[in-house]
Every structure is written in C-alpha cells, then in structure tokens.
Amino acid sequence: MKVCGGAGYWNAQNKVVITNRYFTKSAILSAERNNVKLIDRDGLQLLLREYRDSLENKNLFRFFPLSKQAIN
C-alpha cells in the first residue's frame, strides 16, 4: 500500500484510505497488517450523510473538534 510509504515520509499519526468503491480482500488484509483504516463506498455515504446532517443542525464540532477550542 502506498499509503504506508507516504505515512512514513510525512510522519503521519493515522493512515486512512477512502474509496467510492469496495476494497479487495488483499487490500483489506494489507490494511489490517499495517494499521490502516479503510472507508469504502458504504462508509463514505454514511460520512457524507452525517456531514450533511451536521450542517443542517449547525453542529460542525463532530467533524472539526478543534473549532470549538478556537472559539473559546
């Protein structure tokens, strides 16, 4: 997975791969071995719904938790 090489280069704390499709079995296995979080099309749709709902409720702190600290 290229994400692992990039994470090492950029000294990333977390690794996440998002797709609008589904992951292969080998991609899932590789992600598990390398501690990479995978978000497939179903997870992406859920995130987008939650984001839309947060906009309607004006509750962006779930998605941008640092915003609340910046306001205070």
Side-chain angles (χ1 to χ4, degrees), residues 55-71:
L55 288 177
E56 291 172 0
N57 297 325
K58 297 186 182 346
N59 183 12
L60 293 177
F61 297 127
R62 181 198 180 310
F63 290 93
F64 304 106
L66 297 178
S67 298
K68 188 174 184 179
Q69 293 173 356
I71 292 171

Side-chain angles (χ1 to χ4, degrees), residues 12-60:
Q13 300 289 322
N14 299 301
K15 299 172 287 236
V16 180
V17 176
I18 301 173
T19 186
N20 61 351
R21 295 184 176 224
Y22 295 103
F23 292 100
T24 62
K25 290 179 183 179
S26 62
I28 293 168
L29 182 60
S30 178
E32 289 171 353
R33 290 181 178 162
N34 291 289
N35 196 29
V36 176
K37 180 173 175 66
L38 299 178
I39 299 175
D40 64 11
R41 72 177 299 123
D42 297 333
L44 179 58
Q45 287 177 339
L46 179 62
L47 284 174
L48 290 171
R49 256 185 253 122
E50 288 179 5
Y51 181 71
R52 183 196 62 216
D53 292 346
S54 73
L55 288 177
E56 291 172 0
N57 297 325
K58 297 186 182 346
N59 183 12
L60 293 177

